[in-house]
Amino acid sequence: GNRAAQPGTTQRAEGDDSLYPIAVLIDELRNEDVQLRLNSIKKLSTIALALGVERTRTELLPFLTDTIYDEDEVLLALAEQLGSFTVLVGGPEFVHCLLPPLESLATVEETVVRDKAVESLQKISQEHSPVDLEVHFVPLVKRLASGDWFTSRTSACGLFSVCYPRVSSTVKAEIRQHFRTLCSDDTPMVRRAASSKLGEFAKVLELDYVKSDIIPLFTALASDEQDSVRLLAVEAGVSIATLLPQEDLEDLVMPTLRQAAEDKSWRVRYMVADKFSELQKAVGPEITKNDLVPAFQNLLKDCEAEVRTAAANKVKVFCESLPEDSRETIIMTHILPCVKELVSDTNQHVKSALASVIMGLSTILGKDNTVEHLLPLFLVQLKDEYPEVRLNIISNLDCVNEVIGIRQLSQSLLPAIVELAEDAKWRVRLAIIEYMPLLAGQLGVEFFDEKLNSLCMAWLIDHVYAIREAATCNLMKLVEKFGAEWAQNTIVPKVLGMANDSNYLHRMTTLFCINALSEVCGQEITTKHMLPVVLKMSTDQVANVRFNVARCLQKIGPVLDSSALQADVKPVLEKLATDQDMDVKYFALEAISGMYPFISLTFQHISSQKHFNSPLYCFFFSFSPCCLGYRRLHCVIVKFFKHYLWMSCIYFIYSCIYLFIWSTCTFLKGSSDAHFPQVDMIL
Amino acid sequence: SEHACAGFYQNKKTFFSFFFILVCDPADVISTVEFNQTGEFLATGDKGGRVVIFQREPQSHRHFIGEYNVYSTFQSHEPEFDYLKSLEIEERINKIRWLPLHNPAHFLLATNDKTIKLWKVSERDKRAEGYNLRDEEGRLKDLSTVTTLQVPVLRPMDLLVEASPRRVFANAHAYHINSISVNSDCETYLSADDLRINLWNLNITDRSFNIVDLKPENMEDLSEVITVAEFHPHHCHLLAFSSSTGTTRLCDMRASALCDQHAKLFEEAADPSHRSFFSEIVSSVSDVKFSHSGRYLLTRDYLTVKVWDLNMENKPVETYQVHDYLRTKLCSLYESDCIFDKFECAWNGTDSVIMTGAYNNYFRMFDRASLRDVTLEASREVCKRRAVLQPRRVCVGKKQKETDVSVDSLDFRKKILHTAWHPKENIIAIAASNNLYIFQDRLTPNGHHNTPEIQSAPPKWQTQPNPPTY
């Protein structure tokens, strides 16, 4: 900060050391490597600080203005940096110096860079004084608005709204004129940009101008020949509607919005459906009752599935925000008949969108209506052919539970759950597993034990690992819900029983379950029931099981008491640490070092080697005052030498044979040279 | 069964004679030609995955306008191998489409069988100078001499044209991409393969929407494949696609998200007198082009080129015979696989003349108003600089004139498949194997375009530059 205050200091020679890093940063602004350029641009504030405000304005910014050839990511970082550069160029009175580089960034072809440049321009516009705004900022906006390339004109669209409130009325008139021109631009890209900024611009305009200027523009854009422009006008319409007094809405906005809801292009209707709740809020209860209800009905019955999907997603929000006095009648007479049709729609996305919100209607309609009208629909959806629909119903059961209690549904629920649980697609099975704890909570322990427990256990032996993994996690959550005692009586015996399974994958699942369950089950169950099983499995013939025993012991270590740790666990780990299998050894040593920190240092060294490939290491450790591993290490070293001795014997024999042949050959004075390669190959 | 599709529309390899391979590298064979929206630039793609861009020189002399010179050359696609399907993916550029102008840089989409790439071709005329820690040759400076910080300055330099890949749209096509077309909303484009059409946003590479899917449940039931797809020039919701059965369908994207249901079907009832084993093969549409006005559709099948009014589905408003004399030779053309050649067609800037390629390095033009037609030849022998092209005539029976060529002496290995017409002026680009010919209309006093007077303009044939040596 000091140097920024005194720009002259950088010139001095004695500051070489402090200059160096900055010099590197500046040089890297034009490095071949994009990553280095990017790093340098991200530290632009450091460079500017070192250069001082004067040189930043006169040298750095002109250079940056011309660097628009660079990669997008560099330009993006530059556009972002410049947004918070005001202090570095000398405060608000010099903020206009930032306009040229941002102007050139606002014309590049890459949308993200342009958007970021516009964002930064919007930000620094607030730091302009009213005079500077008219002298520097507004001319920039005008230049962009009348630029040759559509890129600059699209960028201009986002800048009108930030300068409009702070300029004189003549400039305001000019700005409005420029915006009008852009709304009827030749290229659809600019009209789209204008259309998407129309609402934003309307917000800063005086109400009279909203009526006289914005409304005609809105009407024109909403009937543009390109549907990509029309659909953006819908959003603008919602914003405009919030600005106008109720009495003007009917005349100025509603005709256009009604037309949009019945547009020929499904994309426009989709947009209306997607923005329906915002629209509903903007136009108020009266228009909602008279206009939006029939429009919504039409959208729910639309011929295009995408539109129906978007509308179906809004069913709950729409119904919730209906005026309270007539809510129930509107839903019962107008909305529910459409919903009933959607339940048996041909398109699965429509049905699944509906399934994700339909349960929410029950809170609005109350118990009796839910039982009479909604329940049959839920039941149909629970039997739907597409698993996603069923899953969406099941995942939202809590809403119904509050109103009518889940018992009403349980008879149909069970087959649906069972079917999903046995679905051929593992992702479907995974999804239903994730809802199990929720279902268990709502259905209660007895129902669960009776019907669902066996499912949860069956998932443990699924042939897809992700399912088995999710199933163990599910067990943990169930125990959290139902308590350790329940666990001990129901699931722990079954889990431990799997330890004797002939399939090693199932035996491993036991270990994974213990990993997950030990903490929630508590010390007593873990020590008494689980630990003996784990220890017994340390002699398993499959190495994967053995090293998972080591990992499991490390995992459950914190839950066990110290006597068990010393008396039972430690010998087993020590034994595993001398296992023949490299991985078992590795994980055993890892567990030891994790659980018995006093000897951890030495073991970490060894375990990081994974296998002892250097005799030096072994010698070192065999003499180290390590109480535990000494004897084991000795064994290892002996084995190691045995192996090497054996190998060196073979080498010795080889060389003997070789020498023998060679001497024979030379002795015989035959074509020894010719024979040698062959001998070599044999060896 | 996935391969049934390829088998159905036997896209067998083009036959190269030994002689041909000796003369030129097959990688140089031009596979697509396309003018940009202003006609100032012309892009060609070749079998070796290269894109060459030509720029029209500024007007310097009255008679020497419109000379096109190489502006930029770059390697767009490389050969790849799909390890999952054990398929080689050729680098051949199937189509090039220019994007409308954004800014001083130019953008184009180029595609091979599987991957579409968006390229930016831009100019750079400034270079940064002034390092702090090294001199301009890159040698490190003595650190003790570095006493002040130096900000680099931009200095003018020789114009440098760079081509950089901006986006790669991959992994969306199970079959070979045959066409791409940019929408008039300038936001989306389509790509079509044998069975599907996908809609992309130009800014989004990881997602595309499938809008047409002709793949039947069972590939045994496959009856047609998509041959070309194109967007309407003005209406962003209309697209046309043609199929191997000779039909062209017009889809309205407003009606539904999936365009499996067409809005219009352009199909001419088959003439029973011409019915034969080859009927369906020769009726397969090899190219579709909307007229600049957007009112007409031009379709090319093996023997004819047809103009359809978008308002009349049951028959074309005009039909022109390209090489009717081949009707008797279909059998041998089938045997040599020539019958599967995909000829392109083109409109002139005012939609009054139609051009399409043929065999023996001939190409045909049809004047729609006067109904006159002409056959011209693009070959090194006849295309001397500024020479006027002489009309050719193919005769079936006895030669009437010295210049006539008999059907039996046509060379079916020399074919003009790819042609393009300048969007405003009478300048045409003709690709004949590895040669690119650019012809220009001779300026007549009244400015009236007269097809036979298409002239070989100044540089007038231009060959592809030699491939880079590896």
Side-chain angles (χ1 to χ4, degrees), chain A residues 27 55 66 72 110 192, chain B residues 132 149 154 166-167 185 257:
Chain A
D27 285 358
R55 294 191 67 194
D66 284 335
D72 303 332
E110 191 58 50
R192 272 201 296 276
Chain B
N132 282 297
L149 290 175
L154 290 163
R166 303 295 289 187
R167 307 218 198 286
D185 67 8

Side-chain angles (χ1 to χ4, degrees), chain B residues 320 352-353 366-373 448-452:
Chain B
Y320 303 97
S352 58
V353 184
F366 306 95
D367 191 317
R368 295 177 62 204
S370 64
L371 295 179
R372 287 169 64 181
D373 65 274
H448 180 70
H449 170 68
N450 202 354
T451 21

Side-chain angles (χ1 to χ4, degrees), chain A residues 648-665:
Chain A
S648 42
C649 279
I650 293 173
Y651 285 135
F652 182 74
I653 295 164
Y654 274 163
S655 25
C656 286
I657 298 169
Y658 190 82
L659 270 171
F660 172 74
I661 296 171
W662 180 72
S663 50
T664 322
C665 288

Side-chain angles (χ1 to χ4, degrees), chain B residues 348-359:
Chain B
N348 74 337
T350 55
D351 300 336
S352 58
V353 184
I354 292 158
M355 170 176 65
T356 189
Y359 289 108

